Amino acid sequence: MARRSLRENLLEAGSQTIWNSGYSAAGVRDIVAAAGARPGSFTNHFASKEEFAGEVLERYFAYVTGLVEKALAQDGTPPAGRLRRYLDVITSKLEAHDWARGCMIGNLSLETAVHSEPLRLRLVDIFERWRQPFAACIAEGQAAGEITNAFDAEDLADFLLSSWQGAMLRMKVERNPEPLERFKKIIFGTVFGKETAR
């Protein structure tokens, strides 16, 4: 079995360090030490901490994309049911970390968007890509009369992602799932509920 590259070790160690400490507190020395690498090896692979964090974000987003694709897969489940399935899957992932961890994309949005223009632009791009499969699922539900067509599908997808991030923020503060369950109850009782479809 081939050994993982030092670059991969740094990215894996950096992901855990950023999860545990946040971007600002995760120093390059901490990342290198966690990877078991030599001092100075970081700059052989990454031009800056910002570039490194951007790659960590992309790896995390690839993981999230896999969850999205599986949850929203067309398997006979109505579109609103597939949207709920995604939120329920994420809820179970959040429970595994005692409601304390949240979403790396949301965490880094809060922490870096004001101070790092490269990371802000990377996050803008990620949210744009993240929105697309949700918009497609919502549009399918609108065409079937199962989801309200009072709003554009892309706007509803943005609303879903933004509001869910807010619910996760409250979850981390309160250390319980009530904000997540409240969000699901309201959104599936209104904009994603059959009673609002027209």
Side-chain angles (χ1 to χ4, degrees), residues 70-86 134 136-147 188 192-194:
K70 187 173 180 181
L72 301 188
Q74 294 181 331
D75 61 357
T77 304
R82 296 181 344 239
L83 294 168
R84 179 182 285 278
R85 182 164 62 196
Y86 171 77
F134 290 100
C137 185
I138 290 166
E140 183 188 336
Q142 290 174 323
E146 298 173 353
I147 292 175
F188 289 105
F192 294 156
K194 287 189 176 181

Side-chain angles (χ1 to χ4, degrees), residues 1-13 35-37 41 45-46 55 59:
M1 187 174 182
R3 290 177 58 194
R4 287 198 318 174
S5 69
L6 176 57
R7 190 174 194 281
E8 284 297 307
N9 286 343
L10 287 165
L11 285 165
E12 180 63 30
S41 59
H45 299 280
F46 305 99
E55 293 206 33
R59 287 164 62 96

Side-chain angles (χ1 to χ4, degrees), residues 60 86 90 94 99 101-103 106 130 161 163-173 179-180:
Y60 179 76
Y86 171 77
I90 298 303
L94 296 168
W99 317 113
R101 195 151 136 169
C103 167
W130 203 0
L161 288 174
S163 301
W164 185 240
Q165 288 292 330
M168 283 190 282
L169 177 63
R170 284 289 300 276
M171 171 209 77
K172 290 198 302 177
V173 170
L180 307 178

Side-chain angles (χ1 to χ4, degrees), residues 160-196:
L160 172 65
L161 288 174
S162 298
S163 301
W164 185 240
Q165 288 292 330
M168 283 190 282
L169 177 63
R170 284 289 300 276
M171 171 209 77
K172 290 198 302 177
V173 170
E174 297 178 18
R175 291 291 197 271
N176 68 60
E178 288 180 18
L180 307 178
E181 297 306 327
R182 186 181 307 119
F183 169 76
K184 287 187 274 189
K185 178 180 176 183
I186 292 171
I187 200 167
F188 289 105
T190 56
V191 292
F192 294 156
K194 287 189 176 181
E195 64 271 22
T196 64

Side-chain angles (χ1 to χ4, degrees), residues 11 14 17-18 21-31 42-43 46-57 108 111-112 116 118-119 122:
L11 285 165
T17 305
I18 288 171
S21 305
Y23 174 77
S24 298
V28 169
R29 283 186 201 171
D30 300 322
I31 294 165
F42 185 91
T43 53
F46 305 99
S48 66
K49 184 181 169 186
E50 284 176 317
E51 179 188 292
F52 173 81
E55 293 206 33
V56 168
L57 270 171
L108 289 182
E111 190 178 3
T112 67
S116 170
L119 287 176
R122 175 85 67 146

